[in-house]
Amino acid sequence: MAKLDKNQNAGAAYKKEAGAKRPQKKPFMTMGPTLHYKHSNVVRGWWLAVVVYLIACLFWSKVLWGNIDLISFQQLNSNAEIWLMGHLVKNPVSIYEYPWHIFVLGGLAAVLTFLPLMISQLLSFSYSILPVIFCFTIARLPGLAVMLLLACFMVAARPLRFRSRFISLVLCSSPVLLYFIITGKVPDPDPLKWGLSFSPWLLSWLLGLGLCGIILSVGHFTRYRPGQIWIAGAVMLMLSAFTFFDRISFAESDYKLYIQSNSPDSIENFQPHDISSILDKAARNPLFSSDDRFAYAPDPHIYREELIYELQEMLSLGTWPFWFIENCESDFYDYERKRRAVIEQYNYFSAEHPGSRRVASALYYKAILNEHQPDIPAIKELEVLRFYSEYPRAEVYPDWIKLYAKYPESVESLEARWRMAMNLAGRKKFNTAASLCREVLDLADEKRKIVEKNRSDETEIFQKPPETVVTPMDLQGLLHRTNYYLRFLKGKYLEAEPALLAKFIRLDKRSMDYLSELKSIEKRLPDNSPLADNVRLEILQKQYYGLSLIENLKKFVEQFPKTDGALEAKFLMGKRYAKLGLDESDPVKKGEFIDKADSMLSVLIEENPENIFVKDIKKLLSNLPNEE
């Protein structure tokens, strides 16, 4: 019995010794060298690194998105660009206008990309999950976050943990590099610009590897102390932030985001929209009428005309008939809501950056957008909903005063001067209005140099950002309007009845009652009034078209031979002949119209080389086809 117990004990001892010699299976995920330090020190260093990463995400969100917010499911589903990186190269700040933005994007992307990788390698994969979540939600980079999570998993996996930590890091960061290569490009026909669009992301990868190399090199001698990661990340973040504030600033990035991208001309609601299909749908269903008188109109054509009349009448009151909304497939008609939303962004920029020179552009856009109103006669004439802003509305007068008072030296203040002049002329303050118009003309040459700089040279890769939102075409139109109306504010026109002159200047040429107002003024004018020819000319332009207009203009020139109106009438005849010639398909008639336009305009510019239509005449002549 004793011998049996002895054998059993020997067997147990042998099994224990054999188990001790058998190698234990190592876990798939590794633990980094930093975890060998005291747990409280590790956690403190990790939290500091997370804080640095959080600040980087917040800064990225503010620079690239204009605000600090969390990503939404709607953005993930509806906005495909949010999964890509290429659009960030040009929006809101373009690297082609601000080359230093390449270093800003590269530095920030390096922090966002390689800080989680270092945390996963030196601590463990679980410690890198929170920064990746920040990248997804706060920085709003879901695509990068997915690739980053994969890279963090790879760098912490034992099969990819090599003797050289740096080589392991380079290999495991390949998903991020691949993501940058696939999504970082900007479509551009210029191969140099296309190649340059990758520069921020390739720079971020190189900077990130350099940052990790420094951390690993220093860690080799300090045994990878917990504070190394957050210190290196903070230094890179501060360098990127310093570059941004020194070379760009939030004022410029917000200007690009809230002002330049919201120019009135680019807003979809204020673009021309064909409403023929909406009228067709409503005309097929008489019950859509808001007026019981037309609910059972026997003739569809009559009913359609009544619908157009109803639309014009209600739109002039600032509302829409319900049948229009019911048959409209989009919300382009809700332009007032869009106007309020955009103006709110203009106001936000002005309040956030009161010292920025770009506030002048914000005030200019705000005033121009407030000037936009529907062209109601075009609804019947063309069955198109379009807008115009040339008429200075009295309600917008305070906005122009604010722009002129705060930024009198800006290019945008020229438009403010003219708008103020027109409002003052309507109040019979002709001398002050004339003085403002002369200021516009006196400053035009100086401001034109600034405006001309806005023209981009397609051959250059880097271009200076525009100093003003006023385009050369805008300036040309302003000078034409100024010269046109300045003649009514001086000389013989001041001898006319002040009330009638003021009323004539303030008439809206696109209003429904423009013709009736002109006839009312004409009736009250004395026969020898210097304003008579101008009023009669405007009436002719509203009453006649095509060849009929030309015939009546000829009679007008005979009736008022040596007046400003006669000069304008000759210009209008040449312009009308040119249009008829360009539109005519018959070669014989086409040649006749072109010859008449050429001879009439050429004689006009020879006899009156200083008239206000000179530039328009030269442009018309240059567009006329050459004789074969």
Side-chain angles (χ1 to χ4, degrees):
M1 188 69 179
K3 186 177 180 180
L4 180 61
D5 292 340
K6 186 177 181 180
N7 291 336
Q8 289 178 347
N9 291 336
Y14 174 79
K15 290 180 179 179
K16 184 177 182 181
E17 184 179 356
K21 291 181 179 179
R22 186 184 301 124
Q24 295 182 353
K25 186 177 180 181
K26 295 182 179 180
F28 182 78
M29 304 302 291
T30 61
M31 307 295 287
T34 303
L35 293 181
H36 296 302
Y37 286 91
K38 187 178 179 180
H39 182 68
S40 59
N41 293 339
V42 172
V43 172
R44 187 185 304 112
W46 175 72
W47 272 116
L48 288 172
V50 169
V51 170
V52 170
Y53 194 84
L54 176 61
I55 295 173
C57 289
L58 294 173
F59 189 67
W60 175 279
S61 182
K62 177 61 178 175
V63 171
L64 275 303
W65 306 111
N67 55 27
I68 297 174
D69 199 359
L70 299 178
I71 195 170
S72 64
F73 288 106
Q74 183 179 1
Q75 289 175 318
L76 292 173
N77 295 328
S78 60
N79 187 6
E81 280 193 343
I82 205 168
W83 293 91
L84 309 176
M85 299 292 288
H87 66 100
L88 301 176
V89 170
K90 296 182 70 175
N91 298 310
V93 178
S94 172
I95 64 172
Y96 306 116
E97 293 181 348
Y98 304 87
W100 284 101
H101 196 50
I102 296 174
F103 298 93
V104 175
L105 289 176
L108 289 176
V111 175
L112 295 180
T113 302
F114 283 90
L115 228 62
L117 286 173
M118 288 306 307
I119 292 174
S120 182
Q121 187 180 61
L122 298 183
L123 278 76
S124 70
F125 172 69
S126 60
Y127 282 89
S128 67
I129 294 177
L130 184 58
V132 172
I133 292 175
F134 288 161
C135 180
F136 189 101
T137 57
I138 298 176
R140 286 176 267 186
L141 297 172
L144 178 61
V146 172
M147 293 295 105
L148 192 55
L149 186 65
L150 175 61
C152 290
F153 178 83
M154 291 170 60
V155 81
R158 189 171 299 279
L160 297 175
R161 178 65 67 89
F162 305 131
R163 187 174 184 84
S164 171
R165 298 184 188 277
F166 185 76
I167 293 177
S168 175
L169 196 72
V170 173
L171 177 63
C172 295
S173 64
S174 57
V176 175
L177 178 61
L178 184 63
Y179 172 75
F180 283 155
I181 293 174
I182 294 175
T183 69
K185 63 180 180 298
V186 175
D188 198 295
D190 189 335
L192 292 178
K193 288 186 176 181
W194 178 83
L196 190 64
S197 65
F198 291 98
S199 59
W201 320 125
L202 296 180
L203 178 64
S204 72
W205 191 68
L206 295 175
L207 287 176
L209 289 179
L211 185 69
C212 294
I214 294 173
I215 295 174
L216 294 175
S217 299
V218 174
H220 180 74
F221 297 100
T222 61
R223 296 187 178 183
Y224 306 103
R225 292 182 178 277
Q228 292 181 157
I229 298 177
W230 77 264
I231 292 174
V235 170
M236 181 61 72
L237 175 60
M238 286 189 292
L239 288 174
S240 302
F242 175 79
T243 304
F244 177 80
F245 287 118
D246 184 57
R247 297 292 177 174
I248 304 173
S249 78
F250 278 126
E252 201 67 14
S253 63
D254 284 351
Y255 163 75
K256 295 288 183 179
L257 187 65
Y258 295 110
I259 307 302
Q260 194 174 60
S261 62
N262 281 320
S263 66
D265 292 337
S266 66
I267 300 174
E268 176 65 22
N269 298 70
F270 292 96
Q271 301 298 312
H273 294 277
D274 186 3
I275 60 173
S276 300
S277 59
I278 299 176
L279 292 170
D280 290 339
K281 291 178 183 178
R284 286 194 293 266
N285 188 352
L287 295 179
F288 271 132
S289 175
S290 303
D291 196 329
D292 293 338
R293 293 176 299 170
F294 316 122
Y296 299 99
D299 190 340
H301 298 290
I302 296 177
Y303 180 57
R304 185 189 179 90
E305 291 297 319
E306 296 298 343
L307 287 176
I308 292 175
Y309 173 77
E310 182 184 2
L311 177 58
Q312 288 180 303
E313 189 177 49
M314 295 190 70
L315 192 54
S316 64
L317 299 176
T319 185
W320 294 91
F322 80 95
W323 55 262
F324 189 93
I325 298 175
E326 289 291 333
N327 289 281
C328 190
E329 296 179 355
S330 65
D331 63 345
F332 70 83
Y333 64 87
D334 197 3
Y335 62 89
E336 287 293 355
R337 178 190 58 80
K338 185 63 176 180
R339 193 203 310 260
R340 290 191 296 269
V342 173
I343 287 178
E344 187 177 334
Q345 296 192 18
Y346 294 160
N347 292 336
Y348 171 80
F349 175 83
S350 301
E352 284 291 309
H353 310 285
S356 172
R357 61 187 175 88
R358 300 293 194 179
V359 176
S361 299
L363 295 176
Y364 173 81
Y365 270 169
K366 177 183 177 181
I368 286 291
L369 187 58
N370 277 326
E371 296 279 26
H372 274 66
Q373 52 187 328
D375 187 350
I376 296 180
I379 294 176
K380 182 175 182 179
E381 296 168 2
L382 305 173
E383 294 190 356
V384 168
L385 175 64
R386 66 184 185 186
F387 295 81
Y388 67 100
S389 60
E390 296 83 8
Y391 178 72
R393 301 170 60 195
E395 298 89 338
V396 194
Y397 182 56
D399 293 337
W400 294 114
I401 292 179
K402 185 177 181 180
L403 171 57
Y404 174 68
K406 288 191 172 184
Y407 302 94
E409 301 300 322
S410 66
V411 179
E412 291 82 359
S413 68
L414 296 184
E415 185 74 34
R417 285 176 169 87
W418 181 79
R419 304 270 175 170
M420 292 167 58
M422 294 300 99
N423 278 279
L424 291 171
R427 302 176 186 179
K428 307 176 191 177
K429 298 180 180 180
F430 303 121
N431 292 332
T432 307
S435 177
L436 287 170
C437 287
R438 292 190 188 96
E439 285 184 25
V440 173
L441 300 178
D442 292 340
L443 295 170
D445 291 336
E446 175 189 343
K447 304 305 181 185
R448 184 181 285 107
K449 297 177 182 178
I450 300 175
V451 173
E452 291 294 333
K453 293 179 183 179
N454 288 0
R455 294 184 175 180
S456 59
D457 186 356
E458 297 298 332
T459 61
E460 296 182 2
I461 298 178
F462 296 110
Q463 301 164 357
K464 290 185 177 180
E467 296 184 32
T468 175
V469 295
V470 178
T471 64
M473 186 176 295
D474 294 334
L475 183 59
Q476 182 180 347
L478 170 62
L479 295 179
H480 176 78
R481 283 182 274 125
T482 304
N483 281 308
Y484 181 84
Y485 283 99
L486 180 58
R487 59 178 177 158
F488 297 119
L489 301 173
K490 61 183 181 180
K492 62 178 183 179
Y493 288 103
L494 296 180
E495 300 173 4
E497 174 63 32
L500 296 179
L501 177 60
K503 185 176 182 180
F504 175 71
I505 292 176
R506 289 294 291 144
L507 286 180
D508 183 0
K509 293 187 177 184
R510 300 201 193 185
S511 67
M512 292 286 289
D513 56 354
Y514 179 55
L515 182 58
S516 61
E517 291 288 349
L518 284 172
K519 291 181 177 180
S520 173
I521 294 175
E522 187 180 39
K523 289 181 180 179
R524 296 168 59 187
L525 283 175
D527 296 336
N528 60 347
S529 173
L531 202 59
D533 58 307
N534 305 99
V535 175
R536 168 49 47 181
L537 181 60
E538 292 295 326
I539 292 174
L540 291 179
Q541 293 182 70
K542 291 295 293 183
Q543 286 184 327
Y544 301 100
Y545 303 93
L547 290 173
S548 176
L549 174 61
I550 293 176
E551 294 302 320
N552 281 276
L553 288 176
K554 289 179 181 178
K555 297 177 182 178
F556 173 84
V557 172
E558 294 175 359
Q559 183 181 359
F560 303 96
K562 297 181 179 180
T563 61
D564 292 341
L567 181 66
E568 185 177 355
K570 292 176 182 178
F571 165 68
L572 292 173
M573 281 192 285
K575 184 178 179 181
R576 181 57 56 183
Y577 273 130
K579 187 177 187 312
L580 291 173
L582 294 174
D583 295 341
E584 182 59 56
S585 57
D586 186 349
V588 178
K589 291 184 179 180
K590 184 181 186 72
E592 293 178 357
F593 289 141
I594 294 297
D595 290 342
K596 289 181 179 179
D598 183 74
S599 61
M600 185 170 290
L601 293 174
S602 298
V603 170
L604 182 59
I605 202 171
E606 287 176 6
E607 295 178 350
N608 303 275
E610 302 297 328
N611 73 80
I612 63 174
F613 306 105
V614 168
K615 290 184 178 180
D616 296 312
I617 293 172
K618 290 181 177 179
K619 186 176 180 181
L620 280 172
L621 289 173
S622 65
N623 292 333
L624 292 177
N626 296 324
E627 294 183 5
E628 299 180 358

